[in-house]
Amino acid sequence: MGGKQRDEDDEAYGKPVKYDPSFRGPIKNRSCTDVICCVLFLLFILGYIVVGIVAWLYGDPRQVLYPRNSTGAYCGMGENKDKPYLLYFNIFSCILSSNIISVAKNGLQCPTPQVCVSSCPEDPWTVGKNEFSQTVGEVFYTKNRNFCLPGVPWNMTVITSLQRELCPSFLLPSAPALGRCFPWTNVTPPALPGITNDTTIQQGISGLIDSLNARDISVKIFEDFAQSWYWILVALGVALVLSLLFILLLRLVAGPLVLVLILGVLGVLAYGIYYCWEEYRVLRDKGASISQLGFTTNLSAYQSVQETWLAALIVLAVLEAILLLVLIFLRQRIRIAIALLKEASKAVGQMMSTMFYPLVTFVLLLICIAYWAMTALYLATSGQPQYVLWASNISSPGCEKVPINTSCNPTAQLVNSSCPGLMCVFQGYSSKGLIQRSVFNLQIYGVLGLFWTLNWVLALGQCVLAGAFASFYWAFHKPQDIPTFPLISAFICTLRYHTGSLAFGALILTLVQIARVILEYIDHKLRGVQNPVARCIMCCFKCCLWCLEKFIKFLNRNAYIMIAIYGKNFCVSAKNAFMLLMRNIVRVVVLDKVTDLLLFFGKLLVVGGVGVLSFFFFSGRIPGLGKDFKSPHLNYYWLPIMTSILGAYVIASGFFSVFGMCVDTLFLCFLEDLERNNGSLDRPYYMSKSLLKILGKKNEAPPDNKKRKK
């Protein structure tokens, strides 16, 4: 009965792989897979390129990089090349008339004349009453106050220029930030018409400077990076060496290291049980019970009752018991996992080029992100500039019949000059036209392109590495039977035959990720109006999509391994990989958890080691260093430390992702090896001697068996 039931279970997850005398590892003669999806992907990429070209033709990212004056001309470019800064005649008009955040979102366009200047004012100045009758040349030009709008005549009276708002009535000591002149926070503003509250002005300036004062911080950050960049590179080099050494040493210390990690987990749980017991015993003696506390929303109050620590003690004890039982009954499978880790380290040592393949993936990912960012920026800035008539006070005499906010030409002379301060100012970019009306759709297309290309690049890396490591496992005589250039061969083969399959798997994952992004956007927009039931439903949806994404990533990863070995399409490969894993589900769980634990420890070792060294070095806490090794003087010593830690994590993740892919590939090959072969003369195992010893099996084929040579 037991054998019949086991056969039925095996049949539910497909039949074991049969012996094939012609199989010699990754097949050589293969054909293109998922051609339709390949064509669709190439057409999509072609459309993505067209979107980029359209964005480049119609976009104008200068409006994000450079400020504009009242006529729409860029400061720091063209005729204003020597005038990189923008000066507001009356910056208080944009501080007091609207919200600072709204002003920043609108490109800092304020209802006041704006002019490009070569330098910001350094001294406070206000037009005196005795200067009203003088000329602009005498008051402004000869005193090196070149802050009037371009083209103001030399002989125009000052009072006329002020009435028409052609020149500023006051100047404040300012500093450039984001290409604009902003007044200092400690300056005393002059008495301005309509403004009586100096505190409001000071608060407005402070708020504006606080929201846009990134310049000083950015300069200090730049100085710190300029002083410490080579030491950061040294720290990243240390992270690279530590990651490489950790993977190579696994061949020698994988068993003891896994044992230490398992004992460490058991020790932590045991200490947790002891600590909970001590807390429970103390509170029990005091008589602190939950019946005395009652129900409260203050969760910290539950720490003072004995039932909380009793529940924690029971949970930890159950976890400790489960882990001990797992170690007792699954010790054989843990030994197999350790042997596979050693074999993976050996494979990486034989093919060191695979350790640096993440650099290729990183460059491709960087290209995809940079292309999307530039395309999105150009699309967001597409449209023709629009200019409208504007006056500071439309109720002034002579302005009654002026069509305010109507379109105008900034290069033409204004006909109606009786309205004081009448100007043709830049309003924004038009949203009319086919391209402008389609910007949202094109941005959606770009986001889809970003996700699809990123997932395809990651899939390419997984499939290429799987092909290289599979060629290692299925080499009967190692290293003689390993191909000369396994990584290059796998890369060319994957691109030539399986672009469509990779695109298919990447598309499935992309659709799920897009659904998650849309759900997060909806949740963000409706967060303030949701009731508890709606929030619970939304949380369940997000949890389900998260689980679905994790499952698809797991399935895709194993499907790419089968594609690299057999060259079949995505669906068949995914099905075969899933069935093979389900037939060996216990081994899968054990190997996955052991590998995760080991790689987590490796990352912790690399990142922690680099972080500690960086902290002691950049904070100047390592005495006795020579002049050449002295830590630099920094404004923020934590900045290079955090950069080094982040870089070390990226490097460790890149190296360990290769090792994880190697383990997964060798594991699938190992499972198929068990099903295909039996160790006889005609069907010898390809696995290493350590795995054969653990399984209690042996090969009857002699070591010089020529049949297994490729």
Side-chain angles (χ1 to χ4, degrees), residues 140-192:
F140 288 94
Y141 297 150
T142 58
K143 301 295 181 60
N144 199 24
R145 300 188 186 108
N146 300 316
F147 302 117
C148 295
L149 295 178
V152 178
W154 182 283
N155 57 358
M156 178 181 287
T157 60
V158 172
I159 187 62
T160 303
S161 67
L162 297 181
Q163 290 174 349
R164 297 183 181 181
E165 295 197 13
L166 300 177
C167 295
S169 60
F170 65 92
L171 297 173
L172 296 176
S174 305
L178 299 179
R180 295 163 176 85
C181 296
F182 292 111
W184 301 343
T185 55
N186 58 353
V187 68
T188 303
L192 302 175

Short mmCIF file of all heavy atoms in Angstrom, two decimals, residues 140-192:
data_model
loop_
_atom_site.label_atom_id
_atom_site.label_comp_id
_atom_site.label_asym_id
_atom_site.label_seq_id
_atom_site.Cartn_x
_atom_site.Cartn_y
_atom_site.Cartn_z
N PHE A 140 21.26 103.16 -11.20
CA PHE A 140 21.52 101.72 -11.32
C PHE A 140 22.83 101.42 -12.05
O PHE A 140 23.71 100.75 -11.50
CB PHE A 140 20.35 101.05 -12.06
CG PHE A 140 19.10 100.94 -11.24
CD1 PHE A 140 18.11 101.91 -11.32
CD2 PHE A 140 18.92 99.89 -10.36
CE1 PHE A 140 16.97 101.82 -10.57
CE2 PHE A 140 17.76 99.79 -9.59
CZ PHE A 140 16.78 100.76 -9.69
N TYR A 141 22.97 101.88 -13.28
CA TYR A 141 24.08 101.44 -14.11
C TYR A 141 25.43 101.94 -13.60
O TYR A 141 26.41 101.17 -13.56
CB TYR A 141 23.87 101.89 -15.55
CG TYR A 141 22.63 101.27 -16.18
CD1 TYR A 141 21.92 101.95 -17.17
CD2 TYR A 141 22.17 100.02 -15.79
CE1 TYR A 141 20.79 101.40 -17.75
CE2 TYR A 141 21.04 99.46 -16.35
CZ TYR A 141 20.34 100.15 -17.34
OH TYR A 141 19.23 99.59 -17.90
N THR A 142 25.51 103.23 -13.25
CA THR A 142 26.80 103.76 -12.79
C THR A 142 27.19 103.25 -11.41
O THR A 142 28.35 103.28 -11.04
CB THR A 142 26.76 105.30 -12.74
OG1 THR A 142 25.70 105.71 -11.87
CG2 THR A 142 26.52 105.87 -14.13
N LYS A 143 26.21 102.77 -10.64
CA LYS A 143 26.48 102.23 -9.30
C LYS A 143 26.64 100.70 -9.31
O LYS A 143 26.59 100.06 -8.27
CB LYS A 143 25.33 102.61 -8.35
CG LYS A 143 25.11 104.11 -8.22
CD LYS A 143 26.29 104.79 -7.58
CE LYS A 143 26.05 106.29 -7.42
NZ LYS A 143 24.91 106.64 -6.60
N ASN A 144 26.81 100.16 -10.53
CA ASN A 144 27.01 98.70 -10.69
C ASN A 144 25.82 97.90 -10.15
O ASN A 144 25.97 96.83 -9.58
CB ASN A 144 28.29 98.25 -9.99
CG ASN A 144 28.77 96.89 -10.51
OD1 ASN A 144 28.45 96.50 -11.63
ND2 ASN A 144 29.53 96.18 -9.69
N ARG A 145 24.62 98.47 -10.33
CA ARG A 145 23.39 97.75 -9.96
C ARG A 145 22.70 97.35 -11.26
O ARG A 145 21.71 97.93 -11.67
CB ARG A 145 22.48 98.63 -9.12
CG ARG A 145 23.10 99.11 -7.81
CD ARG A 145 22.07 99.80 -6.94
NE ARG A 145 22.68 100.40 -5.76
CZ ARG A 145 22.84 101.70 -5.58
NH1 ARG A 145 22.44 102.57 -6.52
NH2 ARG A 145 23.40 102.17 -4.48
N ASN A 146 23.25 96.34 -11.91
CA ASN A 146 22.72 95.89 -13.20
C ASN A 146 21.62 94.85 -12.99
O ASN A 146 21.76 93.69 -13.35
CB ASN A 146 23.85 95.31 -14.07
CG ASN A 146 24.94 96.32 -14.35
OD1 ASN A 146 24.65 97.47 -14.67
ND2 ASN A 146 26.19 95.90 -14.22
N PHE A 147 20.53 95.33 -12.38
CA PHE A 147 19.44 94.42 -12.05
C PHE A 147 18.14 94.81 -12.74
O PHE A 147 17.09 94.25 -12.41
CB PHE A 147 19.23 94.38 -10.53
CG PHE A 147 20.46 93.96 -9.77
CD1 PHE A 147 21.07 94.83 -8.88
CD2 PHE A 147 21.02 92.71 -9.97
CE1 PHE A 147 22.20 94.46 -8.19
CE2 PHE A 147 22.16 92.32 -9.27
CZ PHE A 147 22.76 93.19 -8.39
N CYS A 148 18.16 95.75 -13.67
CA CYS A 148 16.96 96.12 -14.41
C CYS A 148 16.72 95.13 -15.54
O CYS A 148 17.61 94.37 -15.94
CB CYS A 148 17.08 97.54 -14.96
SG CYS A 148 17.19 98.82 -13.69
N LEU A 149 15.50 95.14 -16.07
CA LEU A 149 15.19 94.29 -17.21
C LEU A 149 16.01 94.75 -18.41
O LEU A 149 16.37 95.93 -18.54
CB LEU A 149 13.70 94.36 -17.53
CG LEU A 149 12.75 93.80 -16.47
CD1 LEU A 149 11.30 93.98 -16.91
CD2 LEU A 149 13.04 92.33 -16.21
N PRO A 150 16.32 93.84 -19.33
CA PRO A 150 17.11 94.21 -20.50
C PRO A 150 16.38 95.26 -21.35
O PRO A 150 15.16 95.22 -21.51
CB PRO A 150 17.27 92.89 -21.27
CG PRO A 150 17.04 91.83 -20.26
CD PRO A 150 16.05 92.39 -19.29
N GLY A 151 17.14 96.25 -21.86
CA GLY A 151 16.59 97.24 -22.77
C GLY A 151 16.04 98.48 -22.10
O GLY A 151 15.47 99.34 -22.79
N VAL A 152 16.17 98.63 -20.78
CA VAL A 152 15.69 99.84 -20.11
C VAL A 152 16.61 101.00 -20.48
O VAL A 152 17.83 100.92 -20.29
CB VAL A 152 15.65 99.65 -18.59
CG1 VAL A 152 15.18 100.93 -17.90
CG2 VAL A 152 14.73 98.49 -18.22
N PRO A 153 16.05 102.09 -21.04
CA PRO A 153 16.91 103.20 -21.49
C PRO A 153 17.69 103.81 -20.33
O PRO A 153 17.25 103.87 -19.19
CB PRO A 153 15.91 104.20 -22.09
CG PRO A 153 14.70 103.40 -22.39
CD PRO A 153 14.63 102.33 -21.36
N TRP A 154 18.86 104.36 -20.68
CA TRP A 154 19.74 105.00 -19.70
C TRP A 154 19.10 106.25 -19.11
O TRP A 154 19.24 106.54 -17.93
CB TRP A 154 21.07 105.33 -20.39
CG TRP A 154 22.10 105.96 -19.49
CD1 TRP A 154 22.12 107.26 -19.06
CD2 TRP A 154 23.24 105.34 -18.92
NE1 TRP A 154 23.21 107.49 -18.27
CE2 TRP A 154 23.93 106.32 -18.15
CE3 TRP A 154 23.78 104.05 -18.99
CZ2 TRP A 154 25.10 106.04 -17.48
CZ3 TRP A 154 24.95 103.79 -18.32
CH2 TRP A 154 25.60 104.76 -17.56
N ASN A 155 18.36 106.99 -19.97
CA ASN A 155 17.83 108.29 -19.54
C ASN A 155 16.42 108.21 -18.98
O ASN A 155 15.80 109.23 -18.70
CB ASN A 155 17.84 109.28 -20.71
CG ASN A 155 17.06 108.75 -21.91
OD1 ASN A 155 16.55 107.63 -21.86
ND2 ASN A 155 16.95 109.55 -22.97
N MET A 156 15.85 107.03 -18.81
CA MET A 156 14.52 106.91 -18.21
C MET A 156 14.60 107.26 -16.74
O MET A 156 15.55 106.88 -16.04
CB MET A 156 13.97 105.48 -18.39
CG MET A 156 12.60 105.28 -17.75
SD MET A 156 11.99 103.58 -17.93
CE MET A 156 11.56 103.58 -19.66
N THR A 157 13.60 108.00 -16.27
CA THR A 157 13.59 108.36 -14.85
C THR A 157 13.32 107.14 -13.99
O THR A 157 12.65 106.19 -14.40
CB THR A 157 12.53 109.43 -14.57
OG1 THR A 157 11.24 108.90 -14.92
CG2 THR A 157 12.80 110.69 -15.37
N VAL A 158 13.85 107.19 -12.78
CA VAL A 158 13.71 106.05 -11.87
C VAL A 158 12.25 105.82 -11.51
O VAL A 158 11.78 104.68 -11.45
CB VAL A 158 14.56 106.28 -10.61
CG1 VAL A 158 14.28 105.20 -9.56
CG2 VAL A 158 16.03 106.30 -10.95
N ILE A 159 11.48 106.92 -11.28
CA ILE A 159 10.08 106.76 -10.90
C ILE A 159 9.30 106.07 -12.00
O ILE A 159 8.42 105.24 -11.74
CB ILE A 159 9.46 108.15 -10.54
CG1 ILE A 159 8.06 107.98 -9.99
CG2 ILE A 159 9.51 109.08 -11.74
CD1 ILE A 159 7.99 107.20 -8.72
N THR A 160 9.62 106.37 -13.26
CA THR A 160 8.94 105.71 -14.38
C THR A 160 9.29 104.23 -14.44
O THR A 160 8.42 103.38 -14.67
CB THR A 160 9.31 106.40 -15.70
OG1 THR A 160 9.00 107.79 -15.62
CG2 THR A 160 8.56 105.77 -16.86
N SER A 161 10.56 103.91 -14.24
CA SER A 161 10.96 102.50 -14.28
C SER A 161 10.33 101.70 -13.15
O SER A 161 9.99 100.52 -13.31
CB SER A 161 12.49 102.39 -14.20
OG SER A 161 12.96 102.82 -12.93
N LEU A 162 10.14 102.35 -11.99
CA LEU A 162 9.51 101.64 -10.87
C LEU A 162 8.01 101.45 -11.12
O LEU A 162 7.45 100.40 -10.77
CB LEU A 162 9.73 102.41 -9.57
CG LEU A 162 11.19 102.56 -9.10
CD1 LEU A 162 11.24 103.33 -7.78
CD2 LEU A 162 11.85 101.21 -8.96
N GLN A 163 7.37 102.46 -11.70
CA GLN A 163 5.94 102.33 -11.98
C GLN A 163 5.68 101.22 -13.01
O GLN A 163 4.68 100.51 -12.91
CB GLN A 163 5.39 103.66 -12.48
CG GLN A 163 5.32 104.75 -11.41
CD GLN A 163 4.91 106.09 -11.97
OE1 GLN A 163 4.87 106.29 -13.19
NE2 GLN A 163 4.60 107.04 -11.08
N ARG A 164 6.56 101.11 -13.98
CA ARG A 164 6.40 100.07 -14.99
C ARG A 164 7.05 98.75 -14.57
O ARG A 164 7.05 97.79 -15.34
CB ARG A 164 7.01 100.53 -16.31
CG ARG A 164 6.32 101.76 -16.90
CD ARG A 164 6.92 102.11 -18.24
NE ARG A 164 6.29 103.30 -18.81
CZ ARG A 164 6.62 103.83 -19.99
NH1 ARG A 164 7.59 103.27 -20.71
NH2 ARG A 164 6.01 104.91 -20.43
N GLU A 165 7.64 98.72 -13.38
CA GLU A 165 8.32 97.53 -12.85
C GLU A 165 9.39 97.04 -13.80
O GLU A 165 9.51 95.86 -14.10
CB GLU A 165 7.30 96.42 -12.54
CG GLU A 165 6.34 96.79 -11.45
CD GLU A 165 5.63 95.58 -10.86
OE1 GLU A 165 6.07 94.46 -11.13
OE2 GLU A 165 4.65 95.78 -10.14
N LEU A 166 10.18 97.97 -14.28
CA LEU A 166 11.32 97.65 -15.13
C LEU A 166 12.60 97.51 -14.32
O LEU A 166 13.57 96.91 -14.79
CB LEU A 166 11.50 98.72 -16.21
CG LEU A 166 10.32 98.93 -17.16
CD1 LEU A 166 10.60 100.05 -18.13
CD2 LEU A 166 10.01 97.64 -17.91
N CYS A 167 12.61 98.08 -13.12
CA CYS A 167 13.76 98.01 -12.22
C CYS A 167 13.26 97.70 -10.81
O CYS A 167 12.12 98.05 -10.46
CB CYS A 167 14.55 99.32 -12.23
SG CYS A 167 15.34 99.71 -13.81
N PRO A 168 14.09 97.08 -9.99
CA PRO A 168 13.66 96.76 -8.62
C PRO A 168 13.69 98.00 -7.73
O PRO A 168 14.55 98.88 -7.89
CB PRO A 168 14.69 95.72 -8.16
CG PRO A 168 15.90 96.02 -8.96
CD PRO A 168 15.42 96.52 -10.29
N SER A 169 12.78 98.06 -6.79
CA SER A 169 12.74 99.18 -5.85
C SER A 169 13.62 98.94 -4.64
O SER A 169 13.88 99.87 -3.88
CB SER A 169 11.30 99.44 -5.40
OG SER A 169 10.78 98.28 -4.75
N PHE A 170 14.08 97.73 -4.43
CA PHE A 170 14.96 97.44 -3.30
C PHE A 170 15.78 96.19 -3.65
O PHE A 170 15.40 95.38 -4.51
CB PHE A 170 14.17 97.22 -2.01
CG PHE A 170 13.27 96.02 -2.04
CD1 PHE A 170 13.73 94.79 -1.59
CD2 PHE A 170 11.97 96.12 -2.52
CE1 PHE A 170 12.90 93.69 -1.62
CE2 PHE A 170 11.15 95.02 -2.55
CZ PHE A 170 11.60 93.80 -2.10
N LEU A 171 16.88 96.03 -2.97
CA LEU A 171 17.75 94.86 -3.11
C LEU A 171 18.09 94.35 -1.72
O LEU A 171 18.27 95.14 -0.79
CB LEU A 171 19.03 95.21 -3.87
CG LEU A 171 18.89 95.69 -5.32
CD1 LEU A 171 20.24 96.14 -5.85
CD2 LEU A 171 18.30 94.59 -6.20
N LEU A 172 18.17 93.03 -1.60
CA LEU A 172 18.53 92.41 -0.33
C LEU A 172 19.77 91.54 -0.53
O LEU A 172 19.95 90.96 -1.60
CB LEU A 172 17.37 91.55 0.19
CG LEU A 172 16.07 92.27 0.54
CD1 LEU A 172 15.01 91.25 0.95
CD2 LEU A 172 16.31 93.28 1.66
N PRO A 173 20.63 91.44 0.47
CA PRO A 173 21.77 90.52 0.35
C PRO A 173 21.26 89.10 0.10
O PRO A 173 20.43 88.58 0.86
CB PRO A 173 22.46 90.63 1.72
CG PRO A 173 22.01 91.93 2.27
CD PRO A 173 20.62 92.16 1.75
N SER A 174 21.73 88.52 -0.99
CA SER A 174 21.20 87.23 -1.42
C SER A 174 22.33 86.26 -1.70
O SER A 174 23.48 86.65 -1.92
CB SER A 174 20.34 87.41 -2.69
OG SER A 174 19.32 88.37 -2.49
N ALA A 175 21.96 85.00 -1.69
CA ALA A 175 22.90 83.93 -2.02
C ALA A 175 22.24 83.03 -3.06
O ALA A 175 21.03 82.78 -2.99
CB ALA A 175 23.28 83.13 -0.78
N PRO A 176 23.00 82.55 -4.03
CA PRO A 176 22.40 81.69 -5.06
C PRO A 176 22.09 80.30 -4.52
O PRO A 176 22.89 79.70 -3.80
CB PRO A 176 23.48 81.62 -6.15
CG PRO A 176 24.76 81.90 -5.43
CD PRO A 176 24.42 82.81 -4.30
N ALA A 177 20.90 79.81 -4.83
CA ALA A 177 20.48 78.45 -4.49
C ALA A 177 19.55 77.97 -5.59
O ALA A 177 18.57 78.65 -5.92
CB ALA A 177 19.77 78.41 -3.14
N LEU A 178 19.89 76.82 -6.19
CA LEU A 178 19.13 76.30 -7.32
C LEU A 178 19.08 77.29 -8.47
O LEU A 178 18.10 77.37 -9.20
CB LEU A 178 17.71 75.91 -6.90
CG LEU A 178 17.59 74.83 -5.83
CD1 LEU A 178 16.13 74.57 -5.50
CD2 LEU A 178 18.25 73.55 -6.29
N GLY A 179 20.15 78.09 -8.62
CA GLY A 179 20.22 79.04 -9.72
C GLY A 179 19.42 80.31 -9.49
O GLY A 179 19.24 81.10 -10.42
N ARG A 180 18.92 80.53 -8.27
CA ARG A 180 18.09 81.70 -7.97
C ARG A 180 18.67 82.44 -6.77
O ARG A 180 19.27 81.82 -5.89
CB ARG A 180 16.65 81.27 -7.70
CG ARG A 180 15.97 80.67 -8.92
CD ARG A 180 14.73 79.88 -8.54
NE ARG A 180 14.04 79.39 -9.72
CZ ARG A 180 14.33 78.27 -10.35
NH1 ARG A 180 15.32 77.50 -9.93
NH2 ARG A 180 13.65 77.89 -11.42
N CYS A 181 18.48 83.75 -6.75
CA CYS A 181 18.98 84.58 -5.65
C CYS A 181 17.93 84.63 -4.55
O CYS A 181 16.84 85.19 -4.74
CB CYS A 181 19.29 85.99 -6.15
SG CYS A 181 20.63 86.05 -7.37
N PHE A 182 18.25 84.05 -3.40
CA PHE A 182 17.35 84.06 -2.26
C PHE A 182 17.99 84.87 -1.14
O PHE A 182 19.18 84.72 -0.84
CB PHE A 182 17.06 82.65 -1.77
CG PHE A 182 16.24 81.84 -2.74
CD1 PHE A 182 16.81 80.77 -3.41
CD2 PHE A 182 14.92 82.16 -2.99
CE1 PHE A 182 16.06 80.03 -4.30
CE2 PHE A 182 14.17 81.43 -3.88
CZ PHE A 182 14.74 80.37 -4.54
N PRO A 183 17.21 85.74 -0.49
CA PRO A 183 17.78 86.60 0.57
C PRO A 183 18.21 85.80 1.77
O PRO A 183 17.68 84.73 2.06
CB PRO A 183 16.62 87.54 0.90
CG PRO A 183 15.38 86.82 0.49
CD PRO A 183 15.77 85.98 -0.70
N TRP A 184 19.19 86.35 2.49
CA TRP A 184 19.65 85.71 3.71
C TRP A 184 18.54 85.78 4.76
O TRP A 184 17.73 86.69 4.80
CB TRP A 184 20.90 86.42 4.24
CG TRP A 184 22.04 86.41 3.28
CD1 TRP A 184 22.18 85.61 2.18
CD2 TRP A 184 23.19 87.24 3.30
NE1 TRP A 184 23.34 85.88 1.52
CE2 TRP A 184 24.00 86.89 2.19
CE3 TRP A 184 23.65 88.26 4.15
CZ2 TRP A 184 25.20 87.52 1.92
CZ3 TRP A 184 24.85 88.87 3.89
CH2 TRP A 184 25.63 88.50 2.78
N THR A 185 18.54 84.80 5.65
CA THR A 185 17.49 84.75 6.68
C THR A 185 17.69 85.80 7.76
O THR A 185 16.73 86.18 8.43
CB THR A 185 17.46 83.36 7.32
OG1 THR A 185 18.78 83.05 7.83
CG2 THR A 185 17.07 82.30 6.31
N ASN A 186 18.91 86.28 7.96
CA ASN A 186 19.17 87.24 9.04
C ASN A 186 19.12 88.68 8.56
O ASN A 186 19.51 89.59 9.29
CB ASN A 186 20.52 86.97 9.67
CG ASN A 186 21.66 87.04 8.65
OD1 ASN A 186 21.41 87.18 7.46
ND2 ASN A 186 22.89 86.94 9.14
N VAL A 187 18.65 88.92 7.32
CA VAL A 187 18.61 90.28 6.80
C VAL A 187 17.32 90.98 7.27
O VAL A 187 16.28 90.34 7.43
CB VAL A 187 18.69 90.27 5.25
CG1 VAL A 187 17.44 89.66 4.65
CG2 VAL A 187 18.89 91.68 4.71
N THR A 188 17.42 92.27 7.50
CA THR A 188 16.25 93.05 7.89
C THR A 188 15.58 93.60 6.64
O THR A 188 16.19 94.38 5.90
CB THR A 188 16.65 94.22 8.79
OG1 THR A 188 17.32 93.70 9.94
CG2 THR A 188 15.43 95.02 9.21
N PRO A 189 14.36 93.17 6.34
CA PRO A 189 13.71 93.63 5.11
C PRO A 189 13.30 95.09 5.22
O PRO A 189 13.04 95.60 6.32
CB PRO A 189 12.50 92.71 5.00
CG PRO A 189 12.21 92.32 6.40
CD PRO A 189 13.52 92.26 7.11
N PRO A 190 13.23 95.80 4.09
CA PRO A 190 12.80 97.21 4.12
C PRO A 190 11.30 97.32 4.34
O PRO A 190 10.57 96.33 4.29
CB PRO A 190 13.20 97.70 2.72
CG PRO A 190 13.11 96.48 1.86
CD PRO A 190 13.53 95.34 2.72
N ALA A 191 10.85 98.52 4.58
CA ALA A 191 9.42 98.77 4.73
C ALA A 191 8.78 98.71 3.35
O ALA A 191 9.08 99.52 2.48
CB ALA A 191 9.18 100.14 5.37
N LEU A 192 7.90 97.73 3.17
CA LEU A 192 7.29 97.50 1.86
C LEU A 192 5.81 97.82 1.93
O LEU A 192 5.15 97.52 2.94
CB LEU A 192 7.50 96.05 1.43
CG LEU A 192 8.95 95.59 1.34
CD1 LEU A 192 9.02 94.12 1.03
CD2 LEU A 192 9.70 96.40 0.29
#
